[in-house]
């Protein structure tokens, strides 16, 4: 529920900061998105078509890697006029994106002013960039999607998820800036890596004290917390909406979360590369795609041929980032699998297309020496911040709880990294033997996906 500070923040402080002082168009974009979410499907497709044509006109002219790839398959700019024509263009795999970092950048402004790293769900870190305008679109898209769950910046929120800051701290100045920003927005961050009963009891106490308007969590972490709350009979709060991210939300986990926090459980699907791709609305019937910012395709590949997945069919997610001109992602394979859903108006009234469910984001839960559960995303978060030193990784926890960690080093790899990994393992996985091995490559398993964190059963 929005209180006085929330009203002040949303009505005055935030607009003054974002639109006035920083002159960012985020809130203007958000207003536009709040309007276009009620557009008809034809209108939404027209928006996508116009944005796609502009993006491709820029890409054909100014992005060397895309230009040469398009030329290889003999596709010209005038061949791609409709959204369906995207299928004529080659897909961009993660390996390809990682290998052509420089050639994927635009040679003219807008340049990729923001650079990031991700370990993703495949274990191979990727450096990528995007321009500032794309960042404003991303923020506005996130605010709208989270808004469906009731999230408003400035309302008190608890974020129960992984923090690379805790594992590999950034410079002091950055930490102070981030912490001030979180305080103003009243965002409370709690590291979800540790999932022992003690850790969950401590999170429960924080929630009782803070009485947040909304909780944001990694799916598996939120589910573990919910089960703890139910088993200990700790719930003393009113229904609190929960936004679940980063991992797949399984039906039994959703049921536990609904019992512990209330019926408003909202699954979201995003990635570091393009941020919020799809989010659940109040009708809770699939995830609405962020159509104004992204074209999300679900494709079925069979050898060299490919086609769009039919409703109910599972396929690979390929995303086209409509407002990133700095280093475009066009038909980029996220590494996730999703189930396609037929088009049609949602019970909420929106025509935004939907994904039925996103598969392949399941991570195994690790155990420390005493058998206490630890988030399987722990290593993803750690190596996302160390991508300049490690090209790829894989973790296998054996039956005796020993961990085999395979690392593919980059030229910047050093002993300090080994020390940092050892230190974090000793902290989060006490009592577990850690064996590290440097390898030239890690082979991908069936389906082209690597189980980055695997626990032997
Ligand atoms: Zn809906």
């Amino acid at each position: 529920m929005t209180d006085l500070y929330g009203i002040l923040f949303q009505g005055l402080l935030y607009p003054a900061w974002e639109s006035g002082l920083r002159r960012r168009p985020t809130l203007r974009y958000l207003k536009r998105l709040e309007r276009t979410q009620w557009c008809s499907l034809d209108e939404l497709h027209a928006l996508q078509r116009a944005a796609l044509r502009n993006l491709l006109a820029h890409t054909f002219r100014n992005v060397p890697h895309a230009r040469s790839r398009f030329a290889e398959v003999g596709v010209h700019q005038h061949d791609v006029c409709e959204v369906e024509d995207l299928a004529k263009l080659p897909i961009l795999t993660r390996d390809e994106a990682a290998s052509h970092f420089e050639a994927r950048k635009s040679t003219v402004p807008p340049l990729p002013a923001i650079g990031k790293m991700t370990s993703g769900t495949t274990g191979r870190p990727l450096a990528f960039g995007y321009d500032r305008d794309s960042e404003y679109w991303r923020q506005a898209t996130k605010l709208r999607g989270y808004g469906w769950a009731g999230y408003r910046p400035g309302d008190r929120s608890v974020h129960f998820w992984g923090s690379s800051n805790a594992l590999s701290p950034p410079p002091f100045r950055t930490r102070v800036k981030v912490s001030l920003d979180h305080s103003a927005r009243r965002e409370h961050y709690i590291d979800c890596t540790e999932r022992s009963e003690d850790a969950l009891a401590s999170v429960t106490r924080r929630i009782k004290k803070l009485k947040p308007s909304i909780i944001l969590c990694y799916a598996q972490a939120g589910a573990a917390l919910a089960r703890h709350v139910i088993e200990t009979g700790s719930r003393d709060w009113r229904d609190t909406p929960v936004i679940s991210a980063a991992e797949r939300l399984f039906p039994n986990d959703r049921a536990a979360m609904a019992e512990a926090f209330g019926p408003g459980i909202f699954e979201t699907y995003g990635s570091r590369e393009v941020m919020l791709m799809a989010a659940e609305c109040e009708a809770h019937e699939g995830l609405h795609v962020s159509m104004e910012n992204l074209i999300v395709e679900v494709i079925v590949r069979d050898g060299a041929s490919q086609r769009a997945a039919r409703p109910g069919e599972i396929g690979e997610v390929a995303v086209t980032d409509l407002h990133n001109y700095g280093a475009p992602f066009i038909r980029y394979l996220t590494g996730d699998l999703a189930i396609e859903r037929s088009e049609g108006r949602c019970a909420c009234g929106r025509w935004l297309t939907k994904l039925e469910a996103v598969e392949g984001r399941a991570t195994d839960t690790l155990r420390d020496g005493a058998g206490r559960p630890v988030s399987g995303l722990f290593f993803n978060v750690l190596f996302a911040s160390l991508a300049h030193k490690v090209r790829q990784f894989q973790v296998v926890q054996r039956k005796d709880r020993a961990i085999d960690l395979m690392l593919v080093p980059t030229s910047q790899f050093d002993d300090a990294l080994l020390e940092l990994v050892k230190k974090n393992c000793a902290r989060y996985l006490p009592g577990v033997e850690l064996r590290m091995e440097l390898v030239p490559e890690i082979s991908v398993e069936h389906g082209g996906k690597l189980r980055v964190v695997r626990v032997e059963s």
Side-chain angles (χ1 to χ4, degrees), residues 281-283 288 346-350 354:
C281 68
E282 59 274 23
H288 282 293
C346 177
C348 73
R350 295 178 186 90
K354 290 198 259 188

Side-chain angles (χ1 to χ4, degrees), residues 93-308:
T93 64
R94 190 186 178 82
D95 272 355
E96 213 180 330
S99 310
H100 299 278
F101 179 59
E102 287 303 323
R104 287 193 56 250
K105 292 181 183 172
S106 169
T107 52
V108 300
L111 301 174
I114 299 160
K116 283 195 179 168
M117 291 277 191
T118 173
S119 78
T121 41
T122 60
R124 178 167 186 192
L126 169 75
F128 62 94
Y130 50 94
D131 59 80
R132 295 216 179 277
D133 197 52
S134 175
E135 167 70 7
Y136 307 140
W137 273 100
R138 287 158 189 240
Q139 290 302 334
T141 302
K142 186 182 87 174
L143 284 172
R144 180 183 69 177
Y146 283 14
W148 295 339
Y151 174 82
R152 303 278 177 275
D155 284 357
R156 191 172 285 115
S157 57
V158 162
H159 300 240
F160 185 43
W161 55 41
S163 157
S164 62
N165 291 3
L167 304 173
S168 163
F172 182 68
R173 263 178 69 104
T174 313
R175 269 180 307 181
V176 170
K177 230 174 97 181
V178 168
S179 143
L180 282 174
D181 187 49
H182 289 170
S183 305
R185 291 166 187 264
R186 292 199 295 181
E187 295 172 350
H188 298 266
Y189 284 79
I190 305 175
D191 186 358
C192 74
T193 309
E194 271 188 85
R195 305 240 180 103
S196 66
E197 288 302 304
D198 283 353
L200 295 174
S202 152
V203 180
T204 308
R205 283 195 297 276
R206 289 276 302 273
I207 291 174
K208 283 186 176 185
K209 194 162 154 247
L210 290 166
K211 298 189 175 50
S213 300
I214 193 158
I215 296 169
L216 299 92
C217 61
Y218 283 2
Q220 296 297 306
L225 178 63
R227 291 199 175 90
H228 171 86
V229 168
I230 296 165
E231 279 157 21
T232 54
S234 307
R235 177 173 174 177
D236 73 346
W237 47 77
R238 287 180 300 195
D239 286 352
T240 306
V242 178
I243 293 176
S244 148
E247 295 164 292
R248 182 168 174 209
L249 181 60
F250 291 99
N252 56 340
D253 293 337
R254 181 189 287 266
M257 282 152 84
E259 188 178 341
F261 301 107
I265 309 298
F266 296 82
E267 184 176 7
T268 63
Y269 170 45
S271 71
R272 274 176 75 81
E273 293 96 313
V274 296
M275 281 179 62
L276 189 68
M277 286 186 268
E280 203 170 311
C281 68
E282 59 274 23
H284 303 289
E285 290 170 1
L287 284 69
H288 282 293
V289 171
S290 311
M291 282 178 77
E292 301 94 326
N293 192 40
L294 303 163
I295 295 172
V296 177
E297 297 173 85
V298 181
I299 56 177
V300 177
R301 286 196 290 170
D302 183 12
S305 71
Q306 49 161 288
R307 61 171 174 82

Side-chain angles (χ1 to χ4, degrees), residues 335-356:
D336 299 313
L337 303 172
I339 299 174
E340 182 66 285
R341 205 185 146 110
S342 53
E343 292 175 344
R345 192 176 201 175
C346 177
C348 73
R350 295 178 186 90
W351 284 95
L352 293 166
T353 55
K354 290 198 259 188
L355 296 175
E356 181 77 40

